[in-house]
Amino acid sequence: MTKKKVQARKRARAIKRAETAFIGETTRIRQAEPAMVIEWPRSITHIHTYGMLSPFFKGLSQGRLMATRCPNRSCTENRLWIPPRAHCPDCHTEMTWKTLPNPVIGTVYTFTEVVYAGMGIELSTPYWQVDVEIPGLATIPKSYLLYRKPSIGMKVKARFRTKNPTHTVLDYYWVPCEQ
């Protein structure tokens, strides 16, 4: 065998060894129509730090909705942010915290019905995901409506899961304001 053929075989074996192999389990199709739904079992523990955003999640577990604001008087954006930001997206100054006064009242800006929730969303389906406009915010935060079908312009009030909190954004949700 020539030297070139030996080198070519070595390269071919090296390439074959470098290929990525599928080592998982195949999924089971639970539903094929109108949309495919599969069972994809996973079992992991995800360790995550909220870092500088920890006050937001502590506040939720205590029944408080907290927002951040840029303290830089020269910055053009001085409204509140939910979800909070550690640093101002405009001038990069570290944000300060403000607690919104209860009750927090907002207006449904838009909504969608969630039929198949993604991993980590531990809500029964279907549920209504709502984007709620809150006066004074630079953002329109997303959450869910506890009951009733939403409508654009509907007035809603923030509620909190303070008993057995999840320590996630699922600890705050909205309920319709009763007339």
Side-chain angles (χ1 to χ4, degrees):
M1 193 177 299
T2 67
K3 187 175 180 180
K4 283 186 179 182
K5 284 185 180 180
V6 170
Q7 288 174 342
R9 280 190 176 177
K10 284 183 180 178
R11 277 195 301 271
R13 275 192 232 128
I15 289 171
K16 189 168 186 166
R17 278 192 302 247
E19 289 177 0
T20 302
F22 175 74
I23 61 170
E25 295 178 35
T26 57
T27 60
R28 185 176 85 75
I29 296 175
R30 187 181 267 196
Q31 171 184 315
E33 297 293 333
M36 185 180 287
V37 178
I38 63 169
E39 288 181 7
W40 194 7
R42 295 289 177 257
S43 177
I44 65 168
T45 299
H46 178 80
I47 299 172
H48 179 78
T49 177
Y50 289 128
M52 295 175 71
L53 303 180
S54 295
F56 177 75
F57 297 95
K58 287 179 185 174
L60 294 181
S61 68
Q62 297 166 354
R64 296 180 290 127
L65 191 54
M66 300 185 68
T68 54
R69 176 191 313 261
C70 180
N72 181 355
R73 295 183 194 274
S74 302
C75 187
T76 56
E77 182 57 75
N78 63 5
R79 293 177 294 172
L80 296 168
W81 292 78
I82 297 176
R85 309 305 198 254
H87 294 88
C88 177
D90 296 321
C91 72
H92 310 294
T93 301
E94 188 174 319
M95 301 285 252
T96 57
W97 289 94
K98 179 178 180 355
T99 302
L100 277 64
N102 278 327
V104 179
I105 306 292
T107 305
V108 173
Y109 182 78
T110 190
F111 61 90
T112 190
E113 183 179 23
V114 177
V115 178
Y116 300 106
M119 290 294 291
I121 305 299
E122 296 167 344
L123 298 173
S124 59
T125 56
Y127 69 89
W128 293 102
Q129 179 178 292
V130 291
D131 293 5
V132 176
E133 195 169 22
I134 302 170
L137 261 60
T139 52
I140 299 177
K142 189 175 295 296
S143 189
Y144 64 98
L145 191 65
L146 188 62
Y147 58 86
R148 202 177 299 156
K149 182 178 179 180
S151 60
I152 293 175
M154 173 188 224
K155 294 290 184 195
V156 290
K157 187 183 323 185
R159 290 282 188 252
F160 304 90
R161 178 180 287 103
T162 55
K163 290 182 182 173
N164 301 315
T166 66
H167 306 289
T168 68
V169 294
L170 298 179
D171 285 343
Y172 92 101
Y173 52 89
W174 299 92
V175 296
C177 285
E178 303 302 328
Q179 304 298 38

